[in-house]
Amino acid sequence: MGKLILAASLGLTCLLSTATVALAEAPGTEDPNNWPQYNRTSNAWRYSPLDQINKDNVSKLSVAWIAQGGDITMGIQETPLAIDGVIYSITSGNRVAALDAKTGQEVWNYQPKLDPLTKKVLFSPYSRGVAVGDGKVFIGTVDGRGIALDQKTGKEIWQVQLTDFANCHGCNFTSPPVVAGDMLTFGSTAGELATQGKIFGVEAKSGKKVWEFNTIKDDPKSWPGTSGKYGGGGAWMPGTYDAETNTVFYGTGNPGKDFINEDRQGDNLYTDSIVALDPKTGNLKWYRQEIKQDVWDYDSAYEVLLFKKDGKDLIVHMNKSGYVFVLDKNDGSIENIWPVSDLKNFVKDIDKRTGELIGRVELPMNQETLICPSTFGGRSWNAGAYNPNTGLWYNNVLDFCGYLKPVAQKDDPKDYGTGHIGASDFGRLVMAPDGRKPGRLDARDPFTGERKWTHEMDMPGFAGVLTTGGGLVFNGDPTGILRAFDADTGKVLWSFNTGSGMRSGIISYAVAGEQYILVPSGWGSYAAILLPALFPQLEKMPAASTLIAFKLPK
Amino acid sequence: MMYKLVLMTIACIFVGDAAYPQENVPNLKDPTMIAAGHDLFLQKQCSRCHGEGGKGGINLARRALDPRGVFQAIADGRMGSGLRMPASRDVLTDEEIWKATAYVMSISQQPK
């Protein structure tokens, strides 16, 4: 009998081991208890395989702890990280904190002394996250530095000035670097700045800058005359590092001047593109430009998702125009292109085979032209989430438009607070002409765009989406309402008022056998400044910088 | 009541600031000055946040504003309610800031 129990136990152990190994090999399920990088896994799915919180019990979620991030200027825009029971968070003014993931209690904090010029520049003082690796916490600062901290103590290990902050119209870092083996890559802001946006390669151990990649190609065909001098571009969201091919993929920003293409009658490479770089050298492996000679502010800086499907390695990538590009990961060739919304008039369509813009609408000087989607895009920068169990990609969709009016503007990189945009504003926002609701959460096949379900909203979503192994999708809105959806049907299963609008990334992690949903809440960013013109109820929305952790009651 | 209290608090912050403009406030109702201020308002993209006629996301048309406070906000920037306005002292002269102030006052609610 004893032998039988032993044999049965061994059998069960083998079965469990096998199950664990099988689970570990499934894409998106690696390191299940942690959220160790910006989009959790290197395929950028924003999927947590944790399933303790599920459809049956999500209605019982309760607040476990709350932590305050300090300065609330421009709200909280980060996706925090969770690694082995510690949360790594960055808030306004590049304040970094390590928190106990069970209690929210601060373990250490660090705040760099920032260049006073950060008070004048266009993109400051917010940050969208930190990166962790090699026992260090890495940040990109709003005055253009890379800094490494000791992961255990928060003490500074090295720092390096990467952008020519005072001379590049305040170009800086508003996103974390990408850990690419023993290298870090930092993408700078630029699209609305009188500069050339760069991606930098830095040794993770020492902080030594090894290379820089200019997102403005030195090519007179692409940039006639001197038009490339302040061509913008840049890469202001984190890229994706693919260890399998040792490639870092970045989406790049829009060309400058934003709304005027009179003097830049070329492709304007490598703006509004995906660039595939060797992280050791910065050498360009391939690129795919998605929006040629952009005049609508349709940055392509968003997340780069990786898939293996039917023996092919694929990339799925959305840009601000709302078109999704499905590409071959190895050379950027086009597999498919589909739009997240039929509310689009900047082109008649994009050719699904060649990527050519068909019937583009130009913007006459000194006149308003109605363009859909607005400069906020068909979706904002806040990432969607893909769930391998449902095969669905969940994204907020913005269904409103804007009137764009280009006007003459002098180039002045010392005028830090004025955007190099060739306009007086980012467009006068208006609702869709057909009266539809201004936003929705869509669940779609990422390769074909086929829609499984949708949840329409009077107030569109501007936060990152989370999906989980518990069959759930979490999404927040600018009024602070956090909702949990059934990932299969879109039915709202739970909601909670976080007290301030949401503009950041929701994550999930587990510590001591309990699953948590961690939600940054704190309205801010240019959305908080611009959206009240269209949604007056947001004018009084209080700002904040709060992390709220939820779990099931014991 | 709460709104008045907030306005008074903001006013006190402005009065207490050492960078308060010393010169006399010029005639902000001069139409030439208002027109020049409107041009600057557009050129410097104040309209980015405030809208072309001051009715944008940060609506000026519904606010009762103090001219010296407006001057100071344009010159030195502002942070409040989680939002941030960049400083323009390095790119505008005092005379230009007063012109922009004149335009802002012309579209805001006048104090009774």
Side-chain angles (χ1 to χ4, degrees):
Chain A
M1 184 66 184
K3 280 181 185 171
L4 190 65
I5 290 172
L6 182 65
S9 300
L10 280 170
L12 186 62
T13 305
C14 289
L15 190 68
L16 283 175
S17 300
T18 307
T20 305
V21 170
L23 190 69
E25 284 176 346
T29 62
E30 309 92 328
D31 202 4
N33 294 335
N34 291 334
W35 194 285
Q37 56 179 303
Y38 187 75
N39 290 313
R40 204 189 88 77
T41 43
S42 56
N43 52 19
W45 287 359
R46 286 196 174 237
Y47 165 72
S48 167
L50 297 171
D51 59 4
Q52 188 178 73
I53 299 166
N54 56 44
K55 296 177 191 181
D56 295 330
N57 60 23
V58 67
S59 62
K60 295 180 182 145
L61 272 185
S62 305
V63 174
W65 55 262
I66 294 176
Q68 302 295 346
D71 187 352
I72 62 172
T73 306
M74 299 295 257
I76 187 168
Q77 300 189 33
E78 70 162 337
T79 293
L81 303 187
I83 302 171
D84 300 335
V86 180
I87 305 296
Y88 300 92
S89 167
I90 186 165
T91 50
S92 190
N94 292 148
R95 184 184 189 274
V96 186
L99 310 173
D100 184 317
K102 276 178 77 175
T103 64
Q105 192 160 4
E106 195 166 277
V107 179
W108 56 255
N109 72 70
Y110 166 89
Q111 187 159 20
K113 190 172 188 310
L114 293 171
D115 187 322
L117 193 57
T118 54
K119 291 193 173 151
K120 296 179 184 173
V121 302
L122 216 54
F123 304 119
S124 181
Y126 51 89
S127 178
R128 301 195 174 102
V130 304
V132 172
D134 190 34
K136 301 179 185 72
V137 176
F138 303 106
I139 63 169
T141 68
V142 287
D143 53 10
R145 284 176 286 166
I147 296 179
L149 309 174
D150 184 290
Q151 189 178 349
K152 285 208 165 61
T153 65
K155 301 283 183 217
E156 190 178 304
I157 296 173
W158 56 252
Q159 64 165 285
V160 57
Q161 184 70 44
L162 293 171
T163 74
D164 189 5
F165 185 54
N167 297 309
C168 68
H169 205 188
C171 72
N172 58 3
F173 303 115
T174 51
S175 281
V178 173
V179 179
D182 54 5
M183 294 292 289
L184 302 173
T185 56
F186 294 77
S188 79
T189 57
E192 288 75 35
L193 305 178
T195 190
Q196 296 184 331
K198 310 266 176 64
I199 299 167
F200 300 90
V202 171
E203 278 182 4
K205 202 170 196 63
S206 65
K208 183 187 165 197
K209 188 181 104 175
V210 179
W211 55 262
E212 61 181 57
F213 174 82
N214 194 342
T215 62
I216 304 305
K217 188 181 182 189
D218 183 10
D219 177 358
K221 269 199 270 181
S222 196
W223 295 94
T226 57
S227 63
K229 184 179 178 187
Y230 297 133
W236 48 273
M237 289 298 292
T240 291
Y241 173 61
D242 177 40
E244 191 178 277
T245 57
N246 191 35
T247 306
V248 62
F249 300 100
Y250 269 97
T252 63
N254 59 273
K257 296 186 177 86
D258 215 352
F259 304 112
I260 301 176
N261 58 351
E262 194 177 24
D263 65 343
R264 51 178 173 86
Q265 291 290 313
D267 289 351
N268 305 154
L269 294 172
Y270 302 102
T271 63
D272 289 353
S273 303
I274 290 185
V275 291
L277 304 177
D278 181 328
K280 283 276 188 201
T281 62
N283 288 344
L284 180 67
K285 295 185 175 186
W286 58 260
Y287 70 90
R288 164 63 54 189
Q289 188 172 48
E290 296 176 343
I291 306 290
K292 173 182 166 181
Q293 203 188 102
D294 176 12
V295 289
W296 312 282
D297 192 73
Y298 289 154
D299 303 67
S300 301
Y302 297 176
E303 74 277 12
V304 178
L305 287 86
L306 306 182
F307 293 90
K308 284 185 189 295
K309 187 174 188 297
D310 304 331
K312 279 193 171 175
D313 289 315
L314 298 177
I315 280 175
V316 171
H317 180 251
M318 185 196 300
N319 63 55
K320 243 200 226 178
S321 76
Y323 274 91
V324 176
F325 282 65
V326 183
L327 306 174
D328 186 314
K329 188 182 85 173
N330 296 307
D331 60 10
S333 58
I334 297 170
E335 295 282 329
N336 191 20
I337 300 172
W338 58 269
V340 295
S341 176
D342 61 350
L343 184 71
K344 52 182 169 61
N345 73 346
F346 74 103
V347 287
K348 282 203 177 97
D349 205 356
I350 297 183
D351 188 301
K352 288 174 178 51
R353 288 179 305 106
T354 65
E356 281 300 311
L357 307 185
I358 303 165
R360 55 183 285 154
V361 173
E362 303 297 344
L363 306 178
M365 294 292 288
N366 305 307
Q367 286 179 42
E368 281 195 331
T369 304
L370 179 69
I371 294 294
C372 309
S374 79
T375 51
F376 277 106
R379 194 201 77 193
S380 189
W381 51 264
N382 307 83
Y386 172 77
N387 191 318
N389 301 325
T390 61
L392 296 171
W393 188 30
Y394 306 95
N395 276 292
N396 281 297
V397 176
L398 307 179
D399 260 346
F400 53 88
C401 309
Y403 281 95
L404 302 181
K405 183 182 171 187
V407 297
Q409 182 190 9
K410 286 181 188 162
D411 298 336
D412 185 359
K414 295 292 181 188
D415 187 355
Y416 298 103
T418 306
H420 185 248
I421 61 176
S424 301
D425 54 42
F426 286 121
R428 182 167 60 84
L429 300 176
V430 288
M431 291 291 189
D434 63 5
R436 70 178 71 192
K437 295 217 176 199
R440 54 179 201 273
L441 180 68
D442 271 0
R444 289 181 186 261
D445 180 297
F447 312 108
T448 65
E450 186 187 347
R451 192 162 74 184
K452 173 87 180 286
W453 58 259
T454 190
H455 173 82
E456 291 189 335
M457 295 178 277
D458 293 319
M459 178 62 66
F462 280 81
V465 181
L466 164 71
T467 185
T468 71
L472 299 169
V473 175
F474 290 87
N475 192 34
D477 78 13
T479 67
I481 304 300
L482 169 68
R483 292 181 180 86
F485 298 84
D486 182 320
D488 289 300
T489 65
K491 183 182 174 193
V492 177
L493 301 174
W494 175 78
S495 68
F496 184 91
N497 183 355
T498 67
S500 181
M502 293 163 66
R503 191 75 173 108
S504 41
I506 306 164
I507 69 163
S508 187
Y509 64 90
V511 60
E514 290 185 288
Q515 182 186 356
Y516 292 75
I517 305 292
L518 182 60
V519 180
S521 168
W523 191 227
S525 81
Y526 276 105
I529 293 171
L530 304 178
L531 285 179
L534 198 57
F535 305 102
Q537 61 270 50
L538 292 178
E539 194 173 9
K540 305 285 184 200
M541 177 53 57
S545 182
T546 308
L547 289 175
I548 307 172
F550 297 88
K551 65 171 188 167
L552 295 171
K554 279 188 178 170
Chain B
M1 181 61 194
M2 187 62 190
Y3 184 58
K4 280 184 184 167
L5 194 64
V6 171
L7 279 180
M8 281 173 64
T9 309
I10 292 168
C12 288
I13 291 167
F14 284 137
V15 169
D17 196 300
Y20 194 80
Q22 296 301 308
E23 66 268 46
N24 291 331
V25 177
N27 178 12
L28 300 176
K29 298 200 170 165
D30 175 356
T32 318
M33 198 157 175
I34 291 171
H38 182 233
D39 290 346
L40 285 167
F41 188 84
L42 297 178
Q43 259 175 43
K44 294 298 165 192
Q45 296 169 5
C46 307
S47 43
R48 203 174 61 218
C49 303
H50 298 299
E52 195 163 327
K55 294 180 181 172
I58 309 297
N59 190 309
L60 296 172
R62 285 206 297 269
R63 297 179 189 210
L65 297 170
D66 161 63
R68 289 177 186 272
V70 173
F71 181 100
Q72 186 126 30
I74 297 169
D76 299 327
R78 273 200 70 188
M79 286 197 190
S81 307
L83 302 178
R84 171 183 163 276
M85 172 171 162
S88 296
R89 198 184 279 282
D90 292 347
V91 289
L92 294 175
T93 63
D94 277 10
E95 192 185 349
E96 287 173 323
I97 295 173
W98 277 123
K99 285 175 181 168
T101 301
Y103 173 67
V104 170
M105 292 308 295
S106 78
I107 56 173
S108 71
Q109 289 186 3
Q110 300 301 307
K112 288 171 185 167

